[in-house]
Amino acid sequence: MSWWEEELPSEEEMMEGCRNLEEHDNTVDYIVTHCCASSTQLLLGGTAFKPDRETDYFEKILHKVKFKKWFFGHYHNNRNVSDREILLYEQIIRIL
């Protein structure tokens, strides 16, 4: 599997994300991303997955933002990692 550095968000894009969250008092119902926070990644695979600037950015979001559920799918599995963090790959769920 290959990937490119350009797939990661730029510093400007991450700052824009933080500004948008701050405009909404760092409170959202759902977060939907490809990857997850670095600490969540560690729970999923120990040291098999290496943190990067995106997972580190999500780590800050994890501790700063109030949310009901966080959905992500990069790790090709279906699993509740915690009561709020859900790994979805081939599963379809209703979030209404």
Side-chain angles (χ1 to χ4, degrees):
M1 180 184 308
S2 64
W3 70 278
W4 298 271
E5 181 75 18
E6 295 81 13
E7 291 182 52
L8 294 174
S10 68
E11 190 66 33
E12 294 80 24
E13 290 168 323
M14 290 188 284
M15 289 172 54
E16 179 183 356
C18 287
R19 280 191 305 272
N20 287 332
L21 288 165
E22 287 169 4
E23 286 177 15
H24 297 280
D25 299 320
N26 285 312
T27 303
V28 296
D29 291 333
Y30 303 105
I31 298 174
V32 179
T33 58
H34 182 68
C35 290
C36 60
S38 296
S39 62
T40 307
Q41 190 173 251
L42 189 62
L43 290 172
L44 288 170
T47 58
F49 304 113
K50 302 293 181 225
D52 57 35
R53 73 174 182 255
E54 182 178 37
T55 62
D56 290 345
Y57 167 70
F58 289 150
E59 186 69 24
K60 293 174 188 170
I61 300 296
L62 178 65
H63 296 288
K64 187 176 183 178
V65 175
K66 296 177 189 108
F67 62 94
K68 293 178 184 176
K69 300 287 182 190
W70 187 325
F71 302 99
F72 58 96
H74 172 69
Y75 309 90
H76 296 206
N77 202 340
N78 297 301
R79 177 177 162 193
N80 290 348
V81 180
S82 71
D83 62 330
R84 299 184 317 149
E85 296 172 277
I86 301 170
L87 169 56
L88 291 177
Y89 179 58
E90 298 173 323
Q91 188 176 359
I92 298 172
I93 64 168
R94 183 180 298 244
I95 61 171
L96 297 174

